[in-house]
Amino acid sequence: MENDRFSLEGKVAVITGAGGGLGHEISRLLRSAGAEIVASDLNEGPGRAVADELGGTFVQTDVTDPDSVRALIRSVLDAHGRVDVMVNNAGIAHNVPSEEATDEDWRRVVSVNLDGVFWCCREAGKAMLERGSGSIVNIASMSGMVSNYPQPQAAYNAAKAGVIVLTKSLAGEWAQRGVRVNAISPGYIRTNMTAGGIANEEWYRVWLDKTPMGRVAEPQEIAPAALYLASDASSFTTGTNLVVDGGYTSW
């Protein structure tokens, strides 16, 4: 519809981690709203499959490498001339007691989950600022607000907390230049990333007990938050952290 503020017709949306469960659902929903999809992923097989399914393009990207991120945005600009929506969804989890965590463990988690988000925000932000418009959606986590129990994941929690404050910082810097920056903090979602935890009967029981709704989310329950923040429906929304956690952080 012409006056549908959720429409992304004529817009170009880049999604990192597009080959994963949540990235796939976000890509599908943004495409259904009319966006041209650029699916980005480190893993070519899943990422290319999403691009092919949605009639979009695939760009293999390592978000931990600033040069790779620069190449991603350059390729989008070369092909489409614009970046309207950037969804920074790429992420990894690693559960290890902090006293046993190696330097490499810490750096890998922070590099993907925080550094990568900044590199993508910076490069997409430059293109958006030049045009005077754009929406960046960072996938944070309720783990950036609370310390989950019982799994040990200090690096992940710290990185996601960083994403939330990074989002607010960039939103403040860029608000008067036409670029909005927001975050989504999901609770537990049924994806490959949480498969190990769901299979762990002790962990999974605690997860459900600590979630007021008593279940984990499906990816399609999180994706609409990304559409809202990507679209003009959220035109007066920037610097927010939209929590979609089944009530986990309400207790």
Side-chain angles (χ1 to χ4, degrees):
M1 296 175 56
E2 184 178 349
N3 294 323
D4 183 359
R5 292 180 60 78
F6 286 92
S7 173
L8 296 177
E9 288 289 342
K11 295 190 176 182
V12 177
V14 183
I15 300 93
T16 67
L22 181 55
H24 191 179
E25 286 299 328
I26 290 174
S27 299
R28 278 177 171 167
L29 189 58
L30 299 192
R31 178 68 190 116
S32 74
E36 180 74 18
I37 299 299
V38 179
S40 168
D41 206 291
L42 179 62
N43 300 312
E44 181 174 2
R48 191 174 295 280
V50 170
D52 290 345
E53 174 193 331
L54 302 177
T57 55
F58 170 72
V59 181
Q60 189 170 26
T61 310
D62 178 357
V63 298
T64 70
D65 179 357
D67 288 335
S68 183
V69 173
R70 276 189 282 268
L72 165 64
I73 300 303
R74 185 166 56 247
S75 71
V76 176
L77 294 175
D78 288 345
H80 302 284
R82 58 195 293 162
V83 179
D84 297 292
V85 177
M86 182 82 204
V87 181
N88 294 313
N89 170 71
I92 60 171
H94 186 60
N95 303 118
V96 60
S98 293
E99 72 275 15
E100 299 175 12
T102 66
D103 298 348
E104 292 75 19
D105 290 336
W106 176 273
R107 280 303 325 149
R108 178 62 180 165
V109 172
V110 173
S111 185
V112 174
N113 293 324
L114 179 56
D115 295 349
V117 170
F118 177 70
W119 307 143
C120 290
C121 285
R122 182 182 63 184
E123 298 309 314
K126 290 177 184 177
M128 291 175 176
L129 289 166
E130 187 172 339
R131 293 187 66 248
S133 68
S135 175
I136 296 174
V137 182
N138 295 326
I139 305 302
S141 172
M142 67 179 185
S143 303
M145 305 165 61
V146 296
S147 177
N148 307 56
Y149 177 82
Q151 71 274 22
Q153 52 180 42
Y156 183 84
N157 297 347
K160 292 299 187 179
V163 169
I164 293 170
V165 178
L166 172 64
T167 297
K168 293 179 180 294
S169 300
L170 297 178
E173 287 188 45
W174 296 344
Q176 294 190 21
R177 300 166 67 187
V179 178
R180 297 185 297 108
V181 189
N182 292 287
I184 302 170
S185 281
Y188 293 115
I189 316 169
R190 193 182 305 277
T191 65
N192 288 338
M193 185 181 293
T194 59
I198 290 173
N200 183 318
E201 185 176 342
E202 178 187 352
W203 287 13
Y204 192 47
R205 184 173 62 250
V206 174
W207 291 4
L208 298 188
D209 286 346
K210 290 180 70 67
T211 302
M213 292 185 73
R215 63 180 180 86
V216 298
E218 301 299 329
Q220 57 266 32
E221 294 181 286
I222 309 299
L227 174 58
Y228 166 67
L229 293 174
S231 71
D232 288 342
S234 60
S235 57
F236 196 58
T237 304
T238 197
T240 197
N241 177 37
L242 181 52
V243 182
V244 189
D245 69 352
Y248 190 100
T249 56
S250 68
W251 282 351

